[in-house]
Amino acid sequence: MNVLTPPLRRGMKELDRTAFKQVVSTLVIKVPTKSVGVFMKTFDKDLFNQPRTRNVLPDPESKDTKLIVLRTDLEKIEDLSQEELNLIKEQALSTFKHNLEFDYNFWTAEQILHAVMPEDAGDIPSSFTQIGHIAHMNLKDYYQPWKKLIGEVILDKNKNIKTVVNKVNSIDTTFRFFQMEILAGDPNMIAEVKESNCKFKFDFSKVYWNSRLHTEHDRLVQLFKKNEYICDVFAGVGPFALPAAKKGAIVYANDLNPASFEWMKYNIKANKITNGIYPYNMDGREFIKQAVNDLNQTSTKNEWKTFDHFVMNLPAIAIEFLDAFRGLYSDQKHLFDESRAKLPMIHCHCFTKNTNAMQDITERIEKAMGSKPDPLKTTLHWVRNVAPKKDMYCVSFPLSSEVAFADVPIR
């Protein structure tokens, strides 16, 4: 089967929707309406069979007959099988050429973009990440001359998309958001997303959100139990913190970005979470210390009380913040009874290009904390591929007493 394609318009930079009209002339057989099923079975191998089209069309001349559309590469009726020809003759059926018209609205985004891109273009840039009504693209430099056209096509072909944006630089590691340009559609950047039984609203131009991390958010939240204490160091607008709090965990959640902090507070209120979650707007290192101190203030005298889990989802630099755990509990060492108490589990997200991911990541942890995590209690979970030969992982390990109660911070 030859799949229909739009007319080539190589070099088009400004979208002209009228340039993609195409008329296809193909053979049809006029058959009685009541006998369509029988004829469809007989002509099964010679039907039109094109994506998003029908093999049977109304007959504009009569309601008692239908038009069965045959494949486009059938030059003449005599090219059919003898069985098919006999049936046409026996039933005295009429056959003739019929014109089918296809326009811009018929073709897919990928087909349109393939028609305008140079012949030697690589992957056609029709994919995007959806954040509410926003399509977020990451166009390579090669496609910059076509970026506005690409944006318009994506907008046209995805009815639930109202805004198309393109990332113009790498992520801001301080406040964790991308600089973006609007390619097409409404300039409204306030997105609304449903995830993990929570509703999130935020300004996508000012905060970090990645819908591709939905599975990872759920995976960690499922580890948390009711009444456990969770410390979310780089919380963003709350994709870990809010579902955990809804589940009954007690969450201390922080983000340095003031916009993320404000939207996290908004989302807490919007999701009607009235207790069990405490938002902060601080540097990550300072927050780790502050949160441990604040939680300790809620304990009774001579009670060992600490977090069950620390979540550190800032993969570009989270490992560097692990130095904050060295000596973190040194002033509470006298309260710790190893036979009854436990130290928190740390879940740290990171990137690596190393083929031996575990070795690379644990060596970097050792450099930050002054000690390697216990290999028997450390797990490494692959999250996703972010670039050629670059993967995102979550390493989970228990904070060791050697690091937690160290007297001297590592330099």
Side-chain angles (χ1 to χ4, degrees):
M1 178 184 74
N2 296 322
V3 177
L4 293 177
T5 56
L8 295 178
R9 297 291 182 256
R10 305 286 191 209
M12 179 184 285
K13 300 291 195 307
E14 294 185 11
L15 183 61
D16 178 4
R17 295 171 179 82
T18 64
F20 297 97
K21 291 180 179 178
Q22 184 157 293
V23 177
V24 175
S25 182
T26 191
L27 284 165
V28 297
I29 307 172
K30 182 182 289 193
V31 303
T33 300
K34 62 182 180 180
S35 303
V36 166
V38 174
F39 287 99
M40 289 284 283
K41 288 181 181 179
T42 304
F43 292 90
D44 180 54
K45 293 181 180 179
D46 292 302
L47 295 175
F48 190 58
N49 283 341
Q50 292 287 333
R52 307 181 309 284
T53 63
R54 295 179 178 180
N55 291 320
V56 180
L57 300 176
D59 183 356
E61 297 178 356
S62 172
K63 293 182 180 180
D64 297 326
T65 54
K66 298 285 187 183
L67 303 181
I68 291 183
V69 189
L70 302 180
R71 53 189 170 89
T72 56
D73 59 344
L74 199 65
E75 294 294 330
K76 53 187 184 300
I77 205 69
E78 288 76 19
D79 291 337
L80 290 170
S81 70
Q82 192 60 51
E83 179 189 2
E84 292 168 327
L85 289 172
N86 290 339
L87 183 59
I88 291 173
K89 187 176 181 180
E90 290 169 6
Q91 299 292 325
L93 302 176
S94 62
T95 64
F96 52 90
K97 285 280 189 175
H98 179 73
N99 288 339
L100 300 173
E101 296 185 4
F102 302 96
D103 61 13
Y104 173 81
N105 293 324
F106 173 77
W107 311 110
T108 66
E110 189 167 0
Q111 286 177 316
I112 293 291
L113 295 178
H114 188 273
V116 302
M117 295 295 164
E119 193 172 0
D120 61 351
D123 295 334
I124 300 302
S126 58
S127 63
F128 56 87
T129 301
Q130 185 171 347
I131 304 93
H133 68 281
I134 301 169
H136 179 212
M137 306 193 77
N138 186 11
L139 296 177
K140 296 177 181 178
D141 291 341
Y142 178 87
Y143 295 111
Q144 290 304 305
W146 294 273
K147 63 184 181 182
K148 293 294 184 182
L149 180 148
I150 292 169
E152 289 184 66
V153 172
I154 295 299
L155 189 67
D156 288 342
K157 299 299 179 179
N158 297 274
K159 299 308 177 186
N160 56 344
I161 294 297
K162 304 300 180 187
T163 307
V164 183
V165 300
N166 179 44
K167 184 176 79 169
V168 295
N169 69 354
S170 58
I171 189 170
D172 183 298
T173 54
T174 303
F175 287 158
R176 292 209 300 170
F177 63 88
F178 300 103
Q179 292 293 325
M180 287 173 283
E181 60 180 339
I182 295 176
L183 300 182
D186 187 345
N188 174 24
M189 296 298 287
I190 306 299
E192 296 186 48
V193 177
K194 290 183 180 180
E195 182 179 293
S196 304
N197 199 33
C198 292
K199 295 178 182 178
F200 296 93
K201 188 175 181 178
F202 48 84
D203 185 338
F204 186 54
S205 68
K206 295 181 179 179
V207 308
Y208 178 79
W209 181 275
N210 191 335
S211 296
R212 292 176 179 170
L213 293 177
H214 184 186
T215 301
E216 178 63 4
H217 296 155
D218 279 348
R219 184 186 72 86
L220 278 187
V221 170
Q222 287 171 13
L223 297 178
F224 308 151
K225 297 180 177 64
K226 186 176 181 179
N227 296 323
E228 282 191 329
Y229 291 94
I230 313 300
C231 188
D232 191 352
V233 184
F234 310 110
V237 299
F240 286 113
L242 271 67
K246 266 198 168 184
K247 191 177 180 180
I250 299 93
V251 184
Y252 289 59
N254 171 71
D255 204 276
L256 178 63
N257 183 348
S260 296
F261 172 66
E262 291 301 326
W263 282 110
M264 176 164 51
K265 290 194 297 181
Y266 173 91
N267 289 321
I268 291 170
K269 186 176 181 180
N271 283 274
K272 300 178 181 179
I273 303 173
T274 56
N275 55 60
I277 186 166
Y278 306 97
Y280 291 73
N281 179 211
M282 301 174 63
D283 168 76
R285 284 187 181 86
E286 294 305 312
F287 167 68
I288 290 171
K289 298 171 186 176
Q290 186 66 52
V292 167
N293 181 64
D294 289 352
L295 179 59
N296 189 47
Q297 294 299 313
T298 68
S299 65
T300 59
K301 189 177 181 180
N302 296 324
E303 178 192 9
W304 171 262
K305 191 174 187 179
T306 189
F307 290 98
D308 295 281
H309 299 272
F310 279 86
V311 179
M312 303 179 71
N313 182 25
L314 185 58
I317 56 174
I319 286 179
E320 298 172 21
F321 285 76
L322 292 173
D323 59 1
F325 289 93
R326 188 165 181 84
L328 183 61
Y329 294 97
S330 58
D331 61 342
Q332 299 179 49
K333 187 175 182 179
H334 62 287
L335 299 176
F336 183 73
D337 181 347
E338 196 164 358
S339 65
R340 292 185 297 170
K342 65 176 182 177
L343 287 162
M345 197 76 176
I346 298 172
H347 308 279
C348 182
H349 291 87
C350 54
F351 296 131
T352 184
K353 295 182 178 181
N354 200 302
T355 53
N356 190 333
M358 178 66 91
Q359 180 179 328
D360 173 58
I361 291 167
T362 53
E363 286 177 357
R364 287 156 59 194
I365 292 172
E366 181 181 22
K367 184 177 180 181
M369 301 183 85
S371 175
K372 274 189 177 181
D374 185 339
L376 298 178
K377 298 178 181 178
T378 301
T379 60
L380 191 64
H381 175 77
W382 181 85
V383 178
R384 69 188 189 102
N385 177 257
V386 295
K389 298 182 180 179
K390 183 179 180 181
D391 293 307
M392 177 178 173
Y393 285 89
C394 178
V395 59
S396 298
F397 60 94
L399 179 63
S400 69
S401 56
E402 175 191 352
V403 173
F405 303 120
D407 293 323
V408 183
I410 190 172
R411 298 295 179 188

